[in-house]
Amino acid sequence: MKCIFCKADSSSSKSVEHIIPESLGNKSHVLQKGIVCDSCNNYLAIKVEKEVLEMAYFKSLRGRNQIENKKGKTPGIPGFIKDKNKIEVSVFPNDSNILEVVIEDKKLFKSIRNHDKLYIPILPEPPKDNLFISKFIGKVAIEALALRVASIDNWQEEFTSNESLDELRYFVRYGKGYKIWPYHTRRIYHESQINFDQESKAPYEILHEFDFLLPDKPIVNGELNQLNNLYFVMAIMGIEYTINITNAGLGRYIEWLSVNQDKSILLMEKSEFNQ
């Protein structure tokens, strides 16, 4: 058994890997022990995921939407008072579209009262062209692809020997090849959008979702077409992130969007984007 990132022997590894962090609400998309070795699991958790989760945008996103981490806690939302001193507060949305701010620290409460105003920026989107976000999307993409093919016999040996994934896997794990692996972002729905499931007749909120896009048909005139573009598309609370797994090019994806009226595959029926 080999790790899908570093390709080292991972037979004795004890860590399970959450494809999307638990701190972003993921409880079900998990890779079993040995798919990602303990060393890579630790690196990705500290050097990639933590860097992303501690960004002001993601802390604010998780705090205002009450997304708990694996310890059952939600982060404070970054804010500041009139003299520009930075603070963190707990914010609870209620049914009247008003944010309820709870200040448990008496000194902080007194400071806010003395300065008369408390500022809590609501950051609408993550930073662009960010190294850690780039690595994070790449990490999720490789793991999501592994999850997709994990039911195939001997998949892991073929997966680790697949050289078309090497550029991305080594960028994610070692920072090789690119300063930033290019990615595309846009908002495709509101972060607190409520959907309705017709079968259960119950409302639900989508924290995250992902899929893969092959913009070019794999078989043309009965012959296998060379696959130069395999795109991973993920949405987290309404923001869509897209990268090219097999190379760093976004051009073919931009063309595909233009032809398909800028629709997201995450909002399309399967038959609609697999024609």
Side-chain angles (χ1 to χ4, degrees), residues 78-88 108 111-112 115-121:
F80 57 92
I81 50 183
K82 202 170 183 179
D83 62 4
K84 304 303 181 182
N85 282 332
K86 295 181 180 180
I87 60 174
E88 285 192 356
L108 176 58
S111 178
I112 293 172
H115 288 86
D116 190 39
K117 291 183 179 180
L118 166 66
Y119 300 89
I120 306 175

Side-chain angles (χ1 to χ4, degrees), residues 181-226:
W181 190 281
Y183 61 93
H184 182 275
T185 62
R186 59 176 180 159
R187 180 169 291 284
I188 57 174
Y189 52 81
H190 192 273
E191 69 180 48
S192 58
Q193 177 174 309
I194 302 298
N195 299 302
F196 188 79
D197 183 75
Q198 294 296 335
E199 292 186 8
S200 64
K201 304 300 182 183
Y204 67 95
E205 184 179 20
I206 298 177
L207 297 181
H208 48 75
E209 54 186 326
F210 54 77
D211 210 332
F212 297 89
L213 170 66
L214 279 170
D216 303 304
K217 295 181 179 180
I219 298 178
V220 178
N221 296 325
E223 295 184 3
L224 184 65
N225 187 28
Q226 183 175 353

Side-chain angles (χ1 to χ4, degrees), residues 20 61 63 127 215 235 258:
I20 293 174
L61 176 73
S258 178

